[in-house]
Every structure is written in C-alpha cells, then in structure tokens.
Amino acid sequence: EIVMTQSPATLSVSPGERATLSCRASQSVSSRLAWYQQKPGQAPRLLIYDASTRATGTPARFSVSGSGTEFTLTISSLQSEDFAVYYCQQYDDWPLTFGGGTKVEIK
Amino acid sequence: QVQLQESGPGLVRPSETLSLTCTVSGGSISGYYWAWIRQPPGMGLEWISYIHQDGETKQNPSLKGRVTVSADSSKNQISLNLNSVSAADTAMYYCARFIGSGSRWFDPWGQGTLVSVSS
C-alpha cells in the first residue's frame, strides 16, 4: 500500500499570504495525484488532478509542483474561502490512498 | 450536472450489516466507475470499494472482504453492504464517481451520510 504523508498537520496563515502544503508518497506515484478541499460539514471537492491540472472551477491561485514522491500545493494569496482541510490522494496503485490532511487556519 | 445522494440508516448494531444506497441524478451510471469512501469523525479519508456498471469491482484489503457493492442501472443507484460492523466502522460514508482506470480521482462526491455503530 502506498502511504501518503501530508505536512504540516496545521498551517496558520493570514489572509493574503501564501500557503505551502506538502504531500509525500512512500513510493513513486508518477503524476497520478489529486488534491481535494474539504470545508466543515461538507464533502471533499476536487481541486487538482494529474498532479497539476486544475479541476473546473479551481482558481488559478492554486498550483502544484512536483512528481514522483514529493508534491507541493501552493495557494498564492489566501482568500477567506480557502480556509479548509486539504487532502492529497494517489491513484497510481491499489488501494487508492489519501494523506492525513493539512488544515489551513486563519492566523 | 451529475449529483449523488447517499441514503441509509444512521444507526447500525454491532455485528450487523451496514447497507447504503447512492442515487445518481443528472446522468447515467453507465460508463463510469462509482466508489464508496468513508471518513471517521475528525479523521481522514479511506477508499472502501468501487464498482463499474458492467460489474467490475474492487475493494480495499483493509476491509477484509466484508464489502459487497452492486449497481442497479434501472434505478440509477449504487449500493454498499458492509457486514460484521463494529464501532470502528462509525463514519461519514460518501459515494463518488471516477472516470476510468487511468483517471481515478473522485469527482463529484455526494454530501455523505453519517453511520454510527452502537448497541
């Protein structure tokens, strides 16, 4: 099973600042990585797939770099609606696995 | 726009079977893969299983064979059965779609249904 590790667990950021979230895979997943955003009381929402392709409706301030085992999600200028929990998910191999999440909170 | 809605009992007794249904509207279940994912309270996400309308299925080995999924094209529904439940199965259960074998990201998701396992 591919283990996905996200860091930090919690990130405190002021509105307008940049947020950098990390996702690491225990073995290479190539570019088969997705990111989701989950707000309290809501289902996760797809943000990014194929490592760096923004899903429909994902603002351009969300970008991803990396491939293989190390990925970084960057939110260039945090807006109020961006405070949420973010999960990465690999789909290179079965079982499909998620990281433990990074909570982005208001500083 | 495809929408998914999970339904089922909110409380299940230990050792019994959890049964949930996902109703798909705004599109057909044909040609797509449909997955179940769960999230224990305050915790992360775990993929449970998937089914394709042609009957292809796969489940997470962590569930130790307790999972059965099925699809009903006439009702446009996907179903999940999880047997021999325990408190560890208490979670929000989501259904979600993925497009295909090389595109196994989940979009869209249902709103989820909370299932508690308790006597």
Side-chain angles (χ1 to χ4, degrees), chain A residues 1-4 23 25 27-29 32-34 36 71 88-99, chain B residues 104 106:
Chain A
E1 170 174 321
I2 298 176
V3 177
M4 307 301 293
C23 175
Q27 64 189 70
S28 177
V29 299
R32 297 182 181 88
L33 188 88
Y36 302 86
F71 299 86
C88 60
Q89 175 231 332
Q90 68 80 21
Y91 48 94
D92 183 69
D93 198 7
W94 301 100
L96 307 180
T97 50
F98 293 86
Chain B
R104 297 181 294 227
F106 302 110

Side-chain angles (χ1 to χ4, degrees), chain B:
Chain B
Q1 180 178 345
V2 174
Q3 294 186 311
L4 290 68
Q5 178 69 61
E6 303 88 347
S7 59
L11 179 65
V12 181
R13 307 292 186 198
S15 80
E16 295 187 346
T17 296
L18 179 163
S19 297
L20 299 176
T21 298
C22 174
T23 301
V24 179
S25 59
S28 172
I29 65 171
S30 299
Y32 292 99
Y33 295 77
W34 303 91
W36 289 95
I37 298 151
R38 70 181 181 179
Q39 184 173 36
M43 298 180 65
L45 300 160
E46 179 184 33
W47 167 71
I48 299 170
S49 183
Y50 82 76
I51 185 168
H52 188 268
Q53 175 257 334
D54 66 4
E56 175 190 342
T57 67
K58 188 179 286 288
Q59 66 178 265
N60 195 323
S62 68
L63 279 301
K64 297 181 171 57
R66 297 189 293 129
V67 175
T68 304
V69 291
S70 60
D72 186 335
S73 299
S74 66
K75 296 181 179 179
N76 229 34
Q77 290 179 335
I78 309 298
S79 296
L80 169 72
N81 282 342
L82 177 64
N83 62 37
S84 304
V85 299
S86 68
D89 295 309
T90 293
M92 184 72 80
Y93 285 76
Y94 298 100
C95 59
R97 184 185 73 176
F98 65 96
I99 294 174
S101 60
S103 306
R104 297 181 294 227
W105 59 82
F106 302 110
D107 181 54
W109 296 57
Q111 66 183 33
T113 187
L114 181 61
V115 179
S116 296
V117 178
S118 175
S119 56

Side-chain angles (χ1 to χ4, degrees), chain A residues 31-73:
Chain A
S31 295
R32 297 182 181 88
L33 188 88
W35 290 87
Y36 302 86
Q37 177 192 68
Q38 186 177 34
K39 296 181 180 179
Q42 297 184 16
R45 179 177 77 93
L46 178 69
L47 285 179
I48 303 278
Y49 61 93
D50 285 346
S52 61
T53 302
R54 285 187 291 273
T56 302
T58 301
R61 62 181 179 272
F62 290 86
S63 63
V64 176
S65 61
S67 66
T69 61
E70 300 276 350
F71 299 86
T72 300
L73 172 68

